[in-house]
Amino acid sequence: MTTELLTYYEAIEQASADMLNAARTGNWDEVVKLESACVLLISQLKQAAHQQGLAPDDARRKTRIMQRILLNDAEIRNLAEPWIDDLGHLIGTSATVVH
């Protein structure tokens, strides 16, 4: 059963990598679409996690996956900052990015 949980983590990692690739090419519509997919996967993961736990080896693997997801997220945010600032100027407000 713990393999099922890892499958969710791996799917979220893949979606975050795909989001990063889309952000690198400036395809923000795709980033938003993939973000929605991540939200669904995270919801499914939370439900599955209530019913089962991870073995120690699987927990270490989960930690490595989560670190990669966080690195992808940080780079996506860095790529998005100029776009958010430009949007703020277009609508006449000052956009503040929270880290």
Side-chain angles (χ1 to χ4, degrees), residues 39-96:
V39 169
L40 177 61
L41 287 166
I42 291 167
S43 174
Q44 292 170 340
L45 170 63
K46 285 179 182 179
Q47 287 181 339
H50 285 301
Q51 300 169 3
Q52 56 191 290
L54 288 173
D57 286 342
D58 290 338
R60 285 188 288 278
R61 187 168 166 201
K62 172 197 141 189
T63 298
R64 288 190 300 271
I65 291 169
M66 291 299 300
Q67 288 170 338
R68 290 189 297 266
I69 291 169
L70 291 172
L71 288 171
N72 289 345
D73 183 65
E75 188 171 342
I76 291 165
R77 289 177 187 274
N78 284 336
L79 292 167
E81 281 182 22
W83 181 80
I84 291 170
D85 288 342
D86 290 345
L87 181 61
H89 292 299
L90 286 174
I91 61 175
T93 62
S94 174
T96 302

Side-chain angles (χ1 to χ4, degrees), residues 4-64:
E4 179 183 347
L5 287 179
L6 285 176
T7 300
Y8 283 115
Y9 284 106
E10 290 167 345
I12 294 165
E13 178 187 14
Q14 183 59 55
S16 78
D18 292 344
M19 285 172 61
L20 177 55
N21 289 331
R24 285 178 175 158
T25 63
N27 188 348
W28 297 105
D29 289 336
E30 183 69 10
V31 172
V32 170
K33 178 180 146 192
L34 291 164
E35 184 179 28
S36 295
C38 279
V39 169
L40 177 61
L41 287 166
I42 291 167
S43 174
Q44 292 170 340
L45 170 63
K46 285 179 182 179
Q47 287 181 339
H50 285 301
Q51 300 169 3
Q52 56 191 290
L54 288 173
D57 286 342
D58 290 338
R60 285 188 288 278
R61 187 168 166 201
K62 172 197 141 189
T63 298
R64 288 190 300 271

